[in-house]
Amino acid sequence: MIKVNITLICLVLIKSTLANDGFSYDIDQSELESLVRPALREAFQQVGRAIHRTDKNWKNEDVWKTPLRLFQYFKQPPCQETADMAKAGDIYHYTFDILQNKLKNRFSRATVAELAKFSGCRVNSMSPKCPNTCLATLYRSHNGDCNHATNTYWGAANNPFVRWLPAKYENGFSTAIGWESDRLYNGHRLPLVREVSNDAMNTSNNQSGDSSYSHMLVVWGQYIDHDIDFTPQSLSTSTFQGLTNCANTCENKSPCYPIQVPANDQRIKTAKCLPFFRSAAVCGTGDTSALFHKLRPREQINAVTSFVDASTVYGSSDALSNVLRNLSTDEGLMRVNALYSDGSRAYLPFDPSKGCVQDPRDLSGNKINCFHAGDGRVSEHLTLSAIHTLWIREHNRIARALKVINPHWNGEILYQETRKIIGAYHQVVNWKEYVPKIIGPTGMAMMGSYTGYKTNENPSISNVFATAAFRFGHATISPMFRRLDESYNNHPTYPTILLHQAFFSPWRMIREGGIDPIMRGLIGKAAKLIVPSEMMHEELREKLFLLQNQVALDLASLNLQRGRDHGLPLYNDWREECGMSRADNFSQVAMEITDALLRSKLERLYKHPGYIDVWLAGLAEELLPGSRGGKLFTCMLSRQFKFLRNGDRFYYENTGVFTPQQVAALNRLSFARVICDTTGLTEVRRDVFFLSTYPTGFVSCNSIPSLDLMAW
């Protein structure tokens, strides 16, 4: 018998005096004992076995040779608290599935309380006790708690995404859109996501470049996305009932929600479906939610802090932050790589628990692991790893300078002050340089100027932003990974390669020239332009994480399936939310989706414009002037970035966070200066997000203002 663990993050949902709370019991206590406890034991066994099997597979070196495992790698919970929540949620919901037939929906509060108590379920975050100390007043917590005085969990890690519109699930509570293959929408079945990817999003690697912006705009978007949201998937890669590997089944059995391959798809020769895993649910939502104090559909976990706070550098938990710090000295430094260096500059440390793709030509046997950073997705692509590397170098540079200016500061103050500066630096780059370019004048007017901290604006990331709107950037990724020399020409030694060859490959950075050629490639080459006829090139649609001739993943299908998994409302609901009229036919969306050929494809697929998946609908719209989104995404992006800025008590321009002199020093900064201070580049654009051909528009690093640390 498995011992039920009640020491997990338990939150007793119902008052202990259940018999006196006025609730009418559907079953008596003896029946509760005879049914609930055995079901819980069975759920613990089945979920435990499935997770154990997955954990065992991770230890097999060969798993890093498959694209599926690489995809799973960066969807795993980032810390033990998140893993506990995900496991508790799986046990909770699977127990409910077991009991559903036995109890015939005769559930009482007592039943639910038992499930919650013994599965380790946490339906809502408990408001933390916020310390009233000098340090807590001056510096934000690593997990984001206590930013708001009363809603202390707003923006904190391991909390549900917020909803701007009610969730849309097929059974009203938890089953994903498309879960039931015969379900009709306006009299028609929704198209398979792979069918949509094939018919409406398919294009070659010959792409239109963005004439205005460099590829740095794309990678900063991905980096800052990882700073503010992360949705872990189920801990198991097998079905709970039968323990069938999700890669070997085309049935919808939690946590598996496979992507069906259409009969006319070339992939049907090798696979009838592509594996997909549902996102981990917040315990106590979904089918059981009606039994709580208010109706609550299935929600997903944001495992990192919502704030733009450089959690990518420092982590979203105290435990991870302590691992990443160099505590061997009292200088407030971050750990760096002990085995390799980029000339005189540091690399990120390796994560000893995470293997990565190895150089197939190397016979030395010296393994190069994935990098270790505040966000586990750091090694997903070399361009992302390069941005992470900049900030770890910048932290240590600033910490050493502050030690000279303030020799009386101990290591903790040096660390916290530097972390605070780096967090502010992220905000400067994001709101001053990046955001205006993606939301344009219309979005900037919607976001408005900063007028101070707003206690009524929730900075928590919304589900639709994380799952659809901010994924607009996937359509701006170049199919090529470019490395350039000192004159911003193609590097003679390290040539341009296809995008998929740079996934999970830190060895290419270590052994192929460091980060300088990568940074020049980001600054000196164009982003992909969002064009309705060129939505998703084959590097992402047919070769995502392609390794050793394995069946690769399809990013377009993954994004569409994830939106359905999360219960995102479809196009018409969001049109109305963003001030547009609901559409009854495709001629009524012609003002937004102006490409006639694309509209005809969407009509053939969806039959009705109101049921288009929201991520695709946003990409299909004509870009607003000066932006990289149409009406729908501009509405969502500007709203979220407004809440993130205004609802953050530690936003750098908020009165009292920094002194006026410090704010003035920070406002003179640019991302270009970070690059100059942390790499071997000597010439860059003042705004590295703008594109021009070298040497036009490039200036010496000596002419770019530095951070005046004397204000500290």
Side-chain angles (χ1 to χ4, degrees):
M1 180 184 297
I2 290 180
K3 184 178 180 181
V4 176
N5 183 357
I6 61 172
T7 63
L8 295 175
I9 335 163
C10 290
L11 172 62
V12 179
L13 304 174
I14 313 302
K15 296 178 181 178
S16 59
T17 55
L18 286 170
N20 299 318
D21 71 353
F23 191 87
S24 175
Y25 284 69
D26 294 321
I27 55 177
D28 60 30
Q29 188 65 26
S30 62
E31 190 175 357
L32 181 70
E33 291 281 345
S34 65
L35 292 177
V36 174
R37 300 298 178 88
L40 275 166
R41 283 195 292 270
E42 181 181 347
F44 261 86
Q45 289 173 338
Q46 298 287 41
V47 173
R49 283 194 196 124
I51 294 173
H52 176 72
R53 175 179 291 186
T54 300
D55 289 343
K56 186 177 180 181
N57 287 341
W58 283 120
K59 297 175 183 177
N60 181 349
E61 291 283 344
D62 291 339
V63 302
W64 300 103
K65 296 179 181 179
T66 69
L68 173 60
R69 292 301 189 198
L70 292 176
F71 174 68
Q72 293 167 339
Y73 162 75
F74 69 85
K75 296 296 290 181
Q76 291 297 298
C79 68
Q80 191 59 47
E81 181 181 3
T82 316
D84 288 344
M85 290 179 67
K87 181 177 180 179
D90 284 339
I91 293 169
Y92 185 92
H93 288 292
Y94 187 51
T95 306
F96 181 88
D97 291 341
I98 295 170
L99 289 171
Q100 202 164 20
N101 292 329
K102 295 179 180 179
L103 292 181
K104 308 298 182 185
N105 293 321
R106 294 180 301 125
F107 285 91
S108 70
R109 273 186 169 182
T111 309
V112 176
E114 288 290 292
L115 297 187
K117 178 180 178 182
F118 290 103
S119 65
C121 182
R122 193 176 93 174
V123 64
N124 280 320
S125 290
M126 287 188 263
S127 296
K129 293 182 179 179
C130 299
N132 185 22
T133 64
C134 180
L135 286 178
T137 301
L138 290 174
Y139 309 118
R140 63 170 84 236
S141 61
H142 281 100
N143 70 354
D145 281 348
C146 303
N147 191 292
H148 194 282
T150 53
N151 298 306
T152 50
Y153 55 88
W154 277 9
N158 294 318
N159 278 277
F161 290 104
V162 299
R163 296 269 185 186
W164 291 341
L165 284 179
K168 188 179 184 66
Y169 290 111
E170 284 195 340
N171 66 353
F173 300 105
S174 63
T175 51
I177 297 173
W179 189 267
E180 301 169 16
S181 60
D182 57 350
R183 178 67 173 258
L184 300 182
Y185 290 81
N186 195 43
H188 301 279
R189 290 186 178 92
L190 284 180
L192 300 176
V193 295
R194 176 65 181 174
E195 182 183 9
V196 175
S197 175
N198 288 341
D199 293 356
M201 308 192 76
N202 183 19
T203 187
S204 71
N205 280 344
N206 296 319
Q207 299 290 297
S208 301
D210 193 319
S211 61
S212 298
Y213 300 125
S214 72
H215 203 255
M216 184 67 80
L217 192 79
V218 179
V219 180
W220 177 262
Q222 182 184 26
Y223 174 81
I224 211 67
D225 176 68
H226 290 184
D227 190 37
I228 60 181
D229 68 77
F230 174 54
T231 314
Q233 68 180 29
S234 171
L235 292 173
S236 172
T237 59
S238 301
T239 62
F240 301 139
Q241 185 176 13
L243 298 179
T244 303
N245 191 313
C246 290
N248 300 326
T249 181
C250 288
E251 292 186 77
N252 293 336
K253 291 185 177 180
S254 287
C256 313
Y257 180 32
I259 295 169
Q260 305 299 323
V261 175
N264 62 350
D265 192 318
Q266 61 176 346
R267 293 204 185 197
I268 201 70
K269 298 175 183 178
T270 54
K272 293 183 179 180
C273 60
L274 303 177
F276 182 91
F277 308 88
R278 296 200 74 181
S279 296
V282 179
C283 210
T285 63
D287 290 316
T288 56
S289 62
L291 303 170
F292 293 105
H293 296 294
K294 62 180 180 179
L295 186 67
R296 200 170 173 207
R298 180 184 178 104
E299 304 290 2
Q300 289 76 34
I301 303 168
N302 186 3
V304 300
T305 68
S306 293
F307 304 106
V308 176
D309 58 359
S311 61
T312 41
V313 180
Y314 306 104
S316 290
S317 69
D318 290 336
L320 179 55
S321 71
N322 286 331
V323 170
L324 297 172
R325 290 177 63 175
N326 179 358
L327 297 175
S328 65
T329 71
D330 197 35
E331 298 176 347
L333 302 175
M334 301 293 289
R335 284 200 309 117
V336 297
N337 201 295
L339 299 176
Y340 300 95
S341 63
D342 189 6
S344 62
R345 298 179 179 88
Y347 284 125
L348 293 162
F350 291 141
D351 186 340
S353 66
K354 299 291 194 233
C356 250
V357 176
Q358 300 300 307
D359 181 358
R361 301 162 299 180
D362 179 54
L363 301 178
S364 70
N366 296 324
K367 183 179 178 182
I368 294 180
N369 275 16
C370 291
F371 290 124
H372 205 187
D375 185 85
R377 295 161 287 184
V378 54
S379 297
E380 179 183 332
H381 199 269
L382 288 173
T383 54
L384 186 62
S385 301
I387 302 300
H388 275 270
T389 305
L390 294 181
W391 290 112
I392 205 76
R393 293 175 180 178
E394 181 70 350
H395 173 99
N396 286 350
R397 187 189 72 83
I398 290 177
R400 291 187 176 104
L402 289 177
K403 179 69 173 177
V404 173
I405 297 170
N406 300 285
H408 57 287
W409 284 2
N410 62 25
E412 183 64 22
I413 296 300
L414 286 167
Y415 168 79
Q416 294 291 358
E417 281 293 324
T418 305
R419 172 175 169 248
K420 187 175 179 181
I421 291 170
I422 295 294
Y425 219 148
H426 278 59
Q427 293 170 353
V428 170
V429 175
N430 195 60
W431 273 279
K432 306 297 184 183
E433 296 186 271
Y434 173 74
V435 170
K437 297 176 179 63
I438 65 167
I439 66 176
T442 300
M444 290 298 287
M446 296 170 69
M447 189 174 69
S449 300
Y450 185 70
T451 58
Y453 174 51
K454 303 292 190 298
T455 58
N456 63 333
E457 293 189 18
N458 186 351
S460 301
I461 297 296
S462 71
N463 211 315
V464 71
F465 174 87
T467 314
F470 209 30
R471 296 192 185 198
F472 85 93
H474 290 168
T476 67
I477 298 172
S478 168
M480 310 306 292
F481 170 61
R482 286 83 59 106
R483 291 172 288 189
L484 305 181
D485 64 14
E486 291 84 352
S487 299
Y488 285 84
N489 296 317
N490 289 328
H491 203 285
T493 309
Y494 311 116
T496 293
I497 58 177
L498 290 169
L499 183 71
H500 75 269
Q501 295 174 296
F503 289 132
F504 292 97
S505 301
W507 69 267
R508 287 192 182 275
M509 182 182 291
I510 300 291
R511 294 176 178 157
E512 293 188 349
I515 74 168
D516 288 3
I518 300 172
M519 297 307 297
R520 293 192 199 98
L522 294 178
I523 296 169
K525 293 295 183 179
K528 173 188 167 296
L529 188 65
I530 301 177
V531 179
S533 60
E534 299 176 0
M535 281 200 188
M536 188 68 66
H537 53 70
E538 60 187 78
E539 286 297 299
L540 296 176
R541 239 186 45 81
E542 300 290 5
K543 298 181 181 180
L544 184 66
F545 306 151
L546 175 64
L547 298 166
Q548 302 202 2
N549 299 317
Q550 300 283 337
V551 176
L553 303 179
D554 170 10
L555 184 59
S557 293
L558 290 173
N559 284 348
L560 293 165
Q561 193 86 331
R562 189 66 65 195
R564 295 181 180 188
D565 172 33
H566 284 211
L568 295 184
L570 302 173
Y571 189 32
N572 252 350
D573 292 333
W574 289 110
R575 282 178 62 89
E576 188 173 49
E577 175 71 8
C578 286
M580 293 177 276
S581 60
R582 298 181 73 88
D584 296 322
N585 56 65
F586 277 85
S587 65
Q588 293 176 350
V589 300
M591 291 293 291
E592 291 79 36
I593 304 176
T594 59
D595 188 281
L597 179 58
L598 178 58
R599 283 202 312 275
S600 68
K601 290 179 179 180
L602 296 176
E603 185 168 13
R604 183 170 66 250
L605 288 163
Y606 289 93
K607 315 303 181 190
H608 189 286
Y611 297 100
I612 305 173
D613 292 277
V614 62
W615 177 66
L616 173 58
L619 289 179
E621 290 186 348
E622 184 77 9
L623 302 183
L624 292 178
S627 78
R628 287 301 173 262
K631 289 183 180 179
L632 191 71
F633 280 176
T634 298
C635 161
M636 294 174 179
L637 294 170
S638 58
R639 180 186 298 187
Q640 185 68 77
F641 282 118
K642 175 186 177 184
F643 290 164
L644 279 173
R645 180 195 63 184
N646 294 358
D648 182 1
R649 179 165 61 90
F650 288 101
Y651 181 69
Y652 84 102
E653 290 182 297
N654 185 30
T655 302
V657 174
F658 290 98
T659 68
Q661 294 79 10
Q662 291 169 345
V663 172
L666 289 166
N667 276 329
R668 288 193 293 270
L669 288 175
S670 64
F671 196 24
R673 187 65 250 174
V674 179
I675 295 170
C676 288
D677 285 335
T678 57
T679 71
L681 274 64
T682 58
E683 292 179 289
V684 295
R685 285 199 55 117
R686 291 186 183 277
D687 187 331
V688 295
F689 295 130
F690 280 123
L691 178 69
S692 65
T693 301
Y694 180 85
T696 304
F698 283 72
V699 299
S700 168
C701 282
N702 293 331
S703 66
I704 298 175
S706 297
L707 177 62
D708 181 9
L709 285 173
M710 292 310 295
W712 280 263

